[in-house]
Amino acid sequence: MPDAGEPIYDVVGVGFGPSNLALAIALTEYNARSGPVTAQFLERQPRFGWHRGMLIEDATMQVSFLKDLVTMRDPTSRFSFLCYLQARDRLADFINHKNLFPLRIEFHDYFEWAAAQVDDLVAYGREVTEVTQAGEFFDVHSGGEVFRARNLVLGTGLRPNMPEGVTRDDRIWHNSELLAKVDTVTDPRRFVVVGAGQSGAEVTAFLHDRFPQAEVCGVFSRYGYSPSDDSSFANRIFDPAAVDEFYTAPEDVKRKLMGYHANTNYSVVDIDLIDELYRREYREKVAGRQRLRLFNVSRPSQVVRTDGGVRVTVESLTAGEQTVLDADVVVYATGYLPADPVGQLGDLAQYCLRDNEGRLRVGRDYRVWTEPRLTGGIYLQGGTEHTHGITSSLLSNTAVRVGEILKSIVDRRTPVPSPLPAYAGSGG
């Protein structure tokens, strides 16, 4: 129990990735105009970090810089990427660059710049161990302290996905660990990279550059890397208006839309990177020394640790032929799975309503439907793909989403109409 006189927060946010960072910014801007909405965010990392293991030096973002933490909600915000560039004295340089897609390391620096301006709202190094009910409130337990909240906003992110039976160690990695572990490798002879998506292609290119004497073998079940569809019409699936349309669509239409447009985000690769890898492979064939080997329509049928590394048996899905590769390291670029959105609620999770398929029932405002005994609001940043569409865990709609969550929190607290600004238009 919190001590008498301890604050009751309007919002306690669990996790502080880009989504809850964007919410902290929206709260800060709202409080400067109309507040107060009190908030405390809890993040288990010791400092802000977003996919640090894949901050490859030349990797670029796959969304426009205009889809930053604020612009789609409020183009005049002082927390925009353009304001960051001005603060870093790079605005003119960026404009001259004529590019909508910043370097990933640059966008991460933008996130850190923004996080530093709202650090009064976040406690780092705080893992949430339990959430309990306290009357109409929630008690969030972390590090021996209890934070009492009227509303929870869960932004617990994604977790690395590994194939069944495969365990990570110092020789078997998930791509999220790439930069944290790559310096431990000395004089490697061979890498095996499993996966056909953007991360798999990026890891393959990175290792091929980083270790000019090593062989890099890509293994994937597709015939080749498939290009992502970032065309103007397809990009409308990321528009704020598309969330409304998806939310109200019949279930069969939702499934069709996800099927039609999965190639905007899942298991696809930027065409420039595909072309670069093809050029490398062809150039090496001409030169007669192949370091880049791509095993398409294949799968790793067996992965066994050895004294010196990992033995991978690659099986052709068409012919059944097997190739044994002794590798120093195997990197699985096999994506992420959403963490259980309400997994940290413990016994309280049983009061969250679910549909006939066992999925959480979520309102248009991202609030979980609950039994009447839970009067506080539980909001999700992620884990809503089945209700809100493909942008559930993506940056594309983050700025608008947090504005909608904040508006819901404010509107439920008071009958007075919220002074939150109208949302700006959409874009690809």
Side-chain angles (χ1 to χ4, degrees), residues 227-302:
S228 59
D229 185 356
D230 62 352
S231 59
S232 301
F233 287 116
N235 263 354
R236 287 178 173 173
I237 195 68
F238 301 109
D239 288 359
V243 178
D244 286 321
E245 294 165 356
F246 189 94
Y247 187 84
T248 57
E251 197 61 37
D252 63 321
V253 174
K254 289 179 179 178
R255 285 193 291 269
K256 287 179 180 178
L257 287 172
M258 292 299 294
Y260 291 153
H261 297 290
N263 66 343
T264 60
N265 185 64
Y266 300 112
S267 299
V268 288
V269 183
D270 286 341
I271 188 64
D272 290 345
L273 181 54
I274 294 175
D275 291 342
E276 170 60 23
L277 288 172
Y278 192 90
R279 278 192 294 269
R280 294 187 192 191
E281 185 189 39
Y282 185 80
R283 185 170 62 240
E284 290 181 355
K285 284 182 178 180
V286 172
R289 178 180 179 246
Q290 262 192 277
R291 288 197 307 114
L292 178 59
R293 299 173 63 191
L294 300 179
F295 292 81
N296 63 348
V297 200
S298 300
R299 69 181 182 96
S301 61
Q302 190 175 47

Side-chain angles (χ1 to χ4, degrees), residues 35-55:
V37 175
T38 58
Q40 176 67 63
F41 294 87
L42 304 171
E43 169 56 51
R44 65 182 176 182
Q45 294 186 101
R47 59 194 176 104
F48 183 88
W50 177 70
H51 294 304
R52 286 187 178 275
M54 285 294 290
L55 295 179

Side-chain angles (χ1 to χ4, degrees), residues 14-335:
V14 180
F16 201 67
S19 292
N20 269 350
L21 167 56
L23 178 59
I25 291 170
L27 280 161
T28 298
E29 294 180 324
Y30 177 83
N31 287 342
R33 296 189 308 270
S34 308
V37 175
T38 58
Q40 176 67 63
F41 294 87
L42 304 171
E43 169 56 51
R44 65 182 176 182
Q45 294 186 101
R47 59 194 176 104
F48 183 88
W50 177 70
H51 294 304
R52 286 187 178 275
M54 285 294 290
L55 295 179
I56 297 170
E57 187 174 282
D58 59 350
T60 58
M61 297 294 294
Q62 293 174 277
V63 296
S64 165
F65 72 88
L66 293 171
K67 293 184 175 181
D68 57 18
L69 298 168
V70 294
T71 297
M72 295 286 285
R73 173 178 59 82
D74 178 10
T76 67
S77 172
R78 66 182 177 89
F79 291 91
S80 71
F81 182 73
L82 292 179
C83 287
Y84 154 80
L85 289 173
Q86 181 71 12
R88 292 287 194 257
D89 197 27
R90 284 203 309 271
L91 181 57
D93 293 334
F94 185 84
I95 293 171
N96 292 337
H97 195 33
K98 299 179 182 179
N99 195 337
L100 288 172
F101 307 102
L103 290 167
R104 197 176 296 157
I105 56 174
E106 182 175 34
F107 221 65
H108 191 277
D109 188 56
Y110 159 64
F111 287 155
E112 291 183 298
W113 170 84
Q117 297 182 68
V118 293
D119 61 0
D120 58 314
L121 297 180
V122 59
Y124 293 102
R126 294 297 188 93
E127 184 160 9
V128 172
T129 56
E130 186 181 19
V131 178
T132 56
Q133 188 177 10
E136 62 183 303
F137 307 117
F138 299 106
D139 280 346
V140 182
H141 302 254
S142 175
E145 290 190 68
V146 178
F147 301 86
R148 182 158 288 179
R150 294 182 176 89
N151 300 279
L152 299 177
V153 181
L154 306 178
T156 49
L158 305 171
R159 57 186 176 87
N161 177 41
M162 295 291 285
E164 185 177 353
V166 177
T167 303
R168 289 186 284 170
D169 60 22
D170 61 328
R171 296 283 183 170
I172 300 174
W173 309 344
H174 186 268
N175 68 273
S176 60
E177 307 169 282
L178 177 68
L179 295 187
K181 289 190 171 182
V182 71
D183 288 338
T184 66
V185 180
T186 55
D187 300 322
R189 294 178 296 108
R190 178 183 287 137
F191 293 91
V192 172
V193 181
V194 181
Q198 180 73 21
S199 293
E202 287 182 359
V203 170
T204 299
F206 171 79
L207 294 173
H208 189 259
D209 285 335
R210 176 72 177 264
F211 299 100
Q213 301 305 316
E215 183 178 280
V216 181
C217 301
V219 180
F220 43 85
S221 58
R222 296 185 177 217
Y223 207 82
Y225 295 112
S226 298
S228 59
D229 185 356
D230 62 352
S231 59
S232 301
F233 287 116
N235 263 354
R236 287 178 173 173
I237 195 68
F238 301 109
D239 288 359
V243 178
D244 286 321
E245 294 165 356
F246 189 94
Y247 187 84
T248 57
E251 197 61 37
D252 63 321
V253 174
K254 289 179 179 178
R255 285 193 291 269
K256 287 179 180 178
L257 287 172
M258 292 299 294
Y260 291 153
H261 297 290
N263 66 343
T264 60
N265 185 64
Y266 300 112
S267 299
V268 288
V269 183
D270 286 341
I271 188 64
D272 290 345
L273 181 54
I274 294 175
D275 291 342
E276 170 60 23
L277 288 172
Y278 192 90
R279 278 192 294 269
R280 294 187 192 191
E281 185 189 39
Y282 185 80
R283 185 170 62 240
E284 290 181 355
K285 284 182 178 180
V286 172
R289 178 180 179 246
Q290 262 192 277
R291 288 197 307 114
L292 178 59
R293 299 173 63 191
L294 300 179
F295 292 81
N296 63 348
V297 200
S298 300
R299 69 181 182 96
S301 61
Q302 190 175 47
V303 178
V304 179
R305 278 299 311 267
T306 63
D307 291 340
V310 188
R311 177 162 292 171
V312 182
T313 302
V314 177
E315 179 183 4
S316 166
L317 296 176
T318 52
E321 297 174 350
Q322 295 188 339
T323 304
V324 177
L325 301 172
D326 286 314
D328 296 88
V329 171
V330 177
V331 183
Y332 281 88
T334 43

